[in-house]
């Protein structure tokens, strides 16, 4: 029921389940760090069998070589035959569907996990805690990130999608993972769900998340309230309502400056204020002031060569360009490369 609500973006149900989502995440995190999966090999392969629509399968095909994230807690098994049995069960059930609606394809995910690597999204072997221990289940948390390595088709028509769990300790994916982590947040809750929905273009549902959470908060000067205002400000900005984006960003900044404990969140507020001054007020001097404040905090938090710092240099270059300072703009653009 929880995964169904996640897939359908059922905000009302997800709000009811928010404590279960958080608790499940915390339990997975504890198991991941304190009860590591033991195996003689450094690479563990797990499997998941299911049906995908032709549209979803084509999306996967177009994602080969790229990273994907699943909008649910992902259940897998160490036993290939168990995953194949789930495909058979699902395929038999789909036979009762009208032919026009039944475009489902049989899919087997093969997921390689480098057990020696670091990932920001916890996973764990939950067999000792599962009612169905014969399934040898490995559970990935909501929003786990994978690279699509390739897709093949077996003689009996099953599409095999090969995935690799993305790792922060692999240099090629480290920047990407940091970007996703800093923009979509690590801990799953209703606010982080709103950010994910915003990135997916589901603006109305994202707004529901932020507004509902804000209504439930008793203290509108809290860190959680600031997160809601940041989300609402980002939503207003991407939808072109620059005045509203300015108001929300200003409210979030006021709260975060009074809290003094989260440089990363404060840098987001400074960046949003800079965008608001550029777009809503045409005040490029104040925009530069806030872009530089954001840059200083991002450099302190992430290091001078991070993707977030590069984005700040690009924004500073763009602001200088709008001011007609083309030589300075070019230097900042080059620094962002």
């Amino acid at each position: 029921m929880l995964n169904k609500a996640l897939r359908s973006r059922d905000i009302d149900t997800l709000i009811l389940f928010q404590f279960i989502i958080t608790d499940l995440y915390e339990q997975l995190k504890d198991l991941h760090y304190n009860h590591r999966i033991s195996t003689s090999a450094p690479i563990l392969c797990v499997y998941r069998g299911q049906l995908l629509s032709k549209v979803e399968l084509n999306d996967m095909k177009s994602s080969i070589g790229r990273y994907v994230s699943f909008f649910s807690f992902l259940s897998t098994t160490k036993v290939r035959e168990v995953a194949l049995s789930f495909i058979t069960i699902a395929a038999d059930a789909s036979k009762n569907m009208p032919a026009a609606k039944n475009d489902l394809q049989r899919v087997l995910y093969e997921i390689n996990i480098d057990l020696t690597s670091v990932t920001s999204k916890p996973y764990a072997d939950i067999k000792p805690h599962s009612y169905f221990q014969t399934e040898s289940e490995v559970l990935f948390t909501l929003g786990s990130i994978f690279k699509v390595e390739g897709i093949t088709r077996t003689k009996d028509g099953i599409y095999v999608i090969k995935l690799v769990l993305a790792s922060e300790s692999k240099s090629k994916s480290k920047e990407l993972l940091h970007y996703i982590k800093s923009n979509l947040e690590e801990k799953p809750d209703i606010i982080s769900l709103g950010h994910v929905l915003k990135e997916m273009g589901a603006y109305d549902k994202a707004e529901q998340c932020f507004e509902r959470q804000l209504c439930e908060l008793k203290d509108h000067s809290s860190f959680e309230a600031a997160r809601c205002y940041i989300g609402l400000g980002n939503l207003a900005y991407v939808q072109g309502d620059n005045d509203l984006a300015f108001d929300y960003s200003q409210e979030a900044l006021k709260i975060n400056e009074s809290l003094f404990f989260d440089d990363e969140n404060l840098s987001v507020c400074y960046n949003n204020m800079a965008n608001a001054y550029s777009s809503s007020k045409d005040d490029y001097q104040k925009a530069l002031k806030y872009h530089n404040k954001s840059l200083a905090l991002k450099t302190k938090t992430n290091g001078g060569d991070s993707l977030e710092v590069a984005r700040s240099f690009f924004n500073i270059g763009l602001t200088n360009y709008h001011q007609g300072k083309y030589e300075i703009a070019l230097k900042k653009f080059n620094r962002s490369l």
Side-chain angles (χ1 to χ4, degrees), residues 60-327:
M60 273 292 176
K61 288 178 179 178
S62 66
S63 298
I64 292 175
R66 300 177 182 175
Y67 292 90
V68 296
S69 180
F70 288 88
F71 202 65
S72 62
F73 287 92
L74 193 68
S75 174
T76 65
T77 173
K78 294 180 184 178
V79 184
R80 194 174 193 271
E81 288 71 22
V82 171
L84 290 172
S85 71
F86 278 109
I87 295 176
T88 301
I89 293 169
D92 288 343
S94 71
K95 290 177 182 177
N96 297 322
M97 295 176 62
K101 293 184 178 180
N102 190 0
D103 68 340
L104 300 176
Q105 307 297 307
R106 293 176 297 161
V107 166
L108 177 70
Y109 288 104
E110 288 187 358
I111 305 172
N112 279 336
I113 309 168
D114 185 344
L115 299 175
T116 65
S117 296
V118 177
T119 175
S120 63
K121 302 291 184 180
Y123 61 89
D125 181 351
I126 64 169
K127 178 180 178 179
H129 312 279
S130 174
Y131 184 78
F132 302 101
Q133 294 199 1
T134 56
E135 292 182 0
S136 297
E137 185 176 0
V138 174
L139 186 64
F140 294 87
T141 195
L142 170 68
S144 293
I145 306 159
F146 305 89
K147 186 175 183 181
V148 184
E149 292 286 306
I151 300 176
T152 58
R153 192 179 187 187
T154 64
K155 292 180 180 179
D156 53 357
I158 295 175
Y159 289 93
V160 179
I161 302 177
K162 297 182 182 295
L163 304 178
V164 175
L165 180 65
S167 164
E168 287 186 8
S169 57
K170 301 293 183 182
S171 59
K172 290 184 179 179
S173 62
K174 189 173 182 179
E175 290 290 358
L176 172 77
L177 285 169
H178 174 75
Y179 174 74
I180 292 176
K181 182 179 176 181
S182 61
N183 282 273
L184 303 185
E185 307 191 33
E186 179 180 351
K187 186 175 180 178
D189 59 15
I190 294 302
I191 301 174
S192 60
L193 172 62
H195 286 297
V196 173
L197 290 168
K198 192 268 289 185
E199 292 297 317
M200 297 173 65
Y203 299 140
D204 289 343
K205 289 188 177 292
E207 186 176 10
Q208 285 182 47
C209 289
F210 300 133
E211 292 283 8
R212 286 287 297 270
Q213 187 64 21
L214 200 55
C215 287
E216 291 190 7
L217 292 174
K218 295 180 180 178
D219 183 4
H220 280 204
S221 61
S222 65
F223 175 69
E224 295 302 303
R227 291 175 65 209
C228 291
Y229 286 126
I230 287 173
L232 289 167
N234 287 338
L235 269 177
Y237 181 73
V238 297
Q239 294 180 93
D241 193 337
N242 296 320
D243 289 329
L244 187 59
F246 181 86
D247 292 340
Y248 281 133
S249 298
Q250 198 169 43
E251 193 64 36
L253 179 61
K254 188 190 306 180
I255 295 170
N256 275 289
E257 285 187 327
S258 70
L259 296 176
F260 297 112
F261 69 85
D262 191 329
D263 284 346
E264 193 163 320
N265 214 41
L266 188 55
S267 73
V268 172
C269 289
Y270 286 146
N271 184 71
N272 289 352
M273 284 299 295
N275 289 336
Y277 271 114
S278 293
S279 304
S280 177
K281 308 298 181 184
D282 290 331
D283 191 336
Y284 297 115
Q285 203 57 40
K286 284 189 178 178
L288 275 176
K289 170 188 170 183
Y290 282 109
H291 274 314
N292 281 308
K293 282 189 172 187
S294 179
L295 173 62
L297 287 179
K298 286 176 180 178
T299 303
K300 175 184 172 183
T301 305
N302 306 318
D305 294 324
S306 70
L307 181 60
E308 287 302 301
V309 167
R311 285 161 61 89
S312 278
F313 275 115
F314 179 83
N315 288 335
I316 292 170
L318 195 60
T319 306
N320 278 287
Y321 178 84
H322 286 308
Q323 289 182 300
K325 300 176 181 178
Y326 302 122
E327 288 187 15

